[in-house]
């Protein structure tokens, strides 16, 4: 099964926007590691938005 190209693009854009990593750096991550970074960024954003 292949990972949806649109979802991959969303993940790359999300991590690049928040951490300013290059496309190549993000694509070099294994899928599970990239997903973990996306999850961590989401947690950080939630905390910031909640004023913590």
């Amino acid at each position: 099964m292949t990972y949806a190209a649109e979802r991959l693009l969303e993940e790359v854009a999300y991590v690049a926007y928040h951490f300013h990593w290059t496309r190549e750096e993000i694509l070099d991550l294994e899928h599970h590691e990239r997903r973990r970074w996306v999850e961590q960024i989401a947690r950080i954003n939630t905390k910031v938005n909640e004023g913590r």
Side-chain angles (χ1 to χ4, degrees):
M1 183 167 93
T2 61
Y3 201 57
E6 187 64 28
R7 181 66 183 153
L8 178 60
L9 178 63
E10 290 173 1
E11 290 179 2
V12 171
Y14 191 70
V15 174
Y17 176 81
H18 288 283
F19 285 173
H20 309 287
W21 294 353
T22 67
R23 180 178 149 263
E24 290 77 21
E25 290 172 313
I26 299 165
L27 289 175
D28 282 345
L29 299 171
E30 295 204 16
H31 171 72
H32 70 276
E33 186 176 4
R34 189 177 54 253
R35 288 294 311 143
R36 289 187 67 192
W37 281 112
V38 167
E39 291 167 7
Q40 290 301 315
I41 293 168
R43 285 189 185 109
I44 291 167
N45 284 336
T46 298
K47 287 180 182 180
V48 168
N49 290 333
E50 291 175 349
R52 291 186 179 174

